[in-house]
Amino acid sequence: MQDNFSDLIKKYRYDNKLSQNDFIDILTANHGFSSKLDVVTLSRWENEKTTPSLEKKIRIMRKINLLVTYLYGISNFDEKTKIGKSLNYRFGMEITKYKELNNFRNQEKINFEFLKNKNNLHTNVKQYLTAQKRGHCNICKQWPINIGSWRSNEKIDAFFIHLYTNDEVYNQGHCKNWDELYKSINKKNINSILILEQVTSSRVFYKLSLLCLFDTLIKNDHLDYVFIQVNTDYFLKLALFIGFDTITTIEEHLTNITDHMDLKFTCIMKIKTEKLLANKDFLFFCLKNYNDLKIQNPTLLDLIYSSDRVSEFNN
């Protein structure tokens, strides 16, 4: 893997007229991860004699608002990832979820719609969520959500729902139903993103949905945690490999994919954003898809990057 870490920190210092000590003061302020940083270490970073861990680089770049530039500038990385290998398994299962949303139909004209108003959901998406019989409606009333969907001639090809919330949103331990799962924490600050739904009809839409999540995470510094829901042993092992931890389980299953579940309970999993971004399997999968789509299907890529997907919420 090659990156421009040393060039970026040197440029940041020069552009802001900072001495090495000044720069160290910025990095160490309220950040225990770099509290032992000294001029010798910084000099060795700038001269590429040594380099910090990827997670530390991400924390530093987040601190100086250069994370987007840094991550999209990474090159020569390993393109073989466990997430990539999981797609064959995923699209033996998720296609069933998609067929329950719509009849599968390939179309040439694809539109991407991004909504911040939960009252304007596409009818098919509303019906799909209503059928899930879980506490989405209640939690969506308390917290802001973003909905992205791809359509072909009024057919939904894929959609995702990201909810912005606090990392204390879930009760700990085991819950019997979805209503029991969620806490009432209206006064807490937003510091997390929860993937409520991600239903995709093909590998391309899965990649685009994950790129929307990836880009949202690197452009919102206040999002410290990511939550997902896992229902199968295969994806539980994949999530654990990436670095997620199970924080709670729920007994009530989702109605539409019960036949595909091989776990007794749905697992609610959590990871720190910086840890997720520093996981090379996740990072390289996202970067490979971004680079591939720029060449193979730039129109689809432009649809999501030209939309106003990234939202800042008042805490």
Side-chain angles (χ1 to χ4, degrees):
M1 183 190 90
Q2 293 182 350
D3 64 26
N4 55 357
F5 174 75
S6 61
D7 291 336
L8 286 175
I9 59 175
K10 284 188 290 188
K11 187 176 186 304
Y12 180 84
R13 278 208 308 111
Y14 297 151
D15 288 349
N16 291 278
K17 298 180 173 58
L18 298 172
S19 68
Q20 289 183 323
N21 280 319
D22 292 335
F23 186 53
I24 290 171
D25 287 342
I26 290 174
L27 296 182
T28 56
N30 301 319
H31 264 258
F33 77 90
S34 56
S35 59
K36 295 181 181 180
L37 182 60
D38 55 31
V39 171
V40 173
T41 302
L42 179 58
S43 295
R44 292 178 68 84
W45 289 354
E46 292 185 345
N47 294 318
E48 299 185 70
K49 297 287 184 64
T50 60
T51 187
S53 67
L54 179 56
E55 185 170 352
K56 186 169 285 189
K57 289 179 180 179
I58 287 172
R59 291 180 181 181
I60 291 171
M61 289 298 139
R62 240 186 170 191
K63 182 75 172 178
I64 60 178
N65 298 316
L66 288 175
L67 185 58
V68 175
T69 303
Y70 170 69
L71 290 180
Y72 283 123
I74 292 175
S75 61
N76 295 335
F77 49 82
D78 189 354
E79 296 187 351
K80 295 181 180 179
T81 65
K82 287 185 179 292
I83 298 178
K85 291 178 181 178
S86 75
L87 294 188
N88 288 334
Y89 181 92
R90 181 180 296 276
F91 287 97
M93 178 180 68
E94 283 213 357
I95 196 65
T96 303
K97 296 173 66 177
Y98 171 73
K99 285 178 179 177
E100 294 198 8
L101 178 67
N102 279 316
N103 294 320
F104 183 82
R105 183 182 299 177
N106 291 317
Q107 303 289 345
E108 293 183 2
K109 181 64 175 176
I110 296 173
N111 296 311
F112 177 70
E113 182 178 35
F114 181 71
L115 299 171
K116 298 179 183 179
N117 185 343
K118 61 181 73 74
N119 297 319
N120 293 330
L121 284 176
H122 191 280
T123 301
N124 292 53
V125 177
K126 284 183 179 178
Q127 292 174 346
Y128 176 89
L129 293 178
T130 301
Q132 299 312 297
K133 297 180 180 178
R134 51 177 154 167
H136 283 358
C137 294
N138 291 335
I139 195 169
C140 287
K141 290 177 182 177
Q142 300 179 39
W143 302 100
I145 61 173
N146 284 344
I147 308 104
S149 62
W150 289 266
R151 297 185 302 178
S152 302
N153 296 337
E154 296 306 311
K155 289 289 183 180
I156 299 289
D157 291 296
F159 77 96
F160 64 82
I161 300 179
H162 295 161
L163 182 139
Y164 295 83
T165 184
N166 183 269
D167 65 298
E168 297 181 12
V169 64
Y170 289 124
N171 285 308
Q172 301 295 305
H174 179 68
C175 302
K176 291 186 177 180
N177 55 59
W178 291 90
D179 291 331
E180 192 178 286
L181 179 67
Y182 299 116
K183 284 184 180 179
S184 178
I185 51 173
N186 297 1
K187 296 181 181 180
K188 294 283 187 177
N189 292 338
I190 291 171
N191 68 355
S192 303
I193 187 169
L194 165 59
I195 304 172
L196 280 182
E197 289 288 350
Q198 181 172 299
V199 179
T200 54
S201 62
S202 71
R203 290 166 173 78
V204 171
F205 291 119
Y206 175 80
K207 294 172 182 178
L208 288 165
S209 295
L210 209 60
L211 278 175
C212 286
L213 172 66
F214 175 73
D215 203 56
T216 298
L217 292 176
I218 66 178
K219 291 178 179 176
N220 284 270
D221 292 346
H222 65 284
L223 295 176
D224 296 326
Y225 299 95
V226 179
F227 290 91
I228 60 172
Q229 302 163 7
V230 177
N231 306 289
T232 67
D233 182 64
Y234 181 90
F235 289 113
L236 175 62
K237 291 177 180 176
L238 180 61
L240 291 171
F241 171 80
I242 292 172
F244 281 88
D245 294 314
T246 301
I247 61 165
T248 189
T249 55
I250 181 168
E251 191 168 336
E252 187 177 73
H253 287 315
L254 311 187
T255 56
N256 69 317
I257 60 170
T258 302
D259 292 342
H260 302 281
M261 288 181 169
D262 52 18
L263 290 179
K264 188 175 181 180
F265 307 117
T266 296
C267 296
I268 308 299
M269 309 192 76
K270 173 183 178 182
I271 191 172
K272 285 187 69 67
T273 297
E274 291 166 348
K275 184 177 180 180
L276 177 61
L277 294 175
N279 178 274
K280 292 182 179 180
D281 208 80
F282 176 79
L283 175 61
F284 293 170
F285 181 77
C286 292
L287 292 179
K288 173 176 167 45
N289 292 327
Y290 176 80
N291 292 332
D292 287 349
L293 286 165
K294 273 202 308 185
I295 298 171
Q296 299 168 5
N297 207 327
T299 301
L300 279 179
L301 192 65
D302 289 344
L303 285 175
I304 66 172
Y305 280 89
S306 61
S307 66
D308 183 24
R309 292 178 301 99
V310 179
S311 301
E312 291 289 348
F313 299 109
N314 294 324
N315 287 340

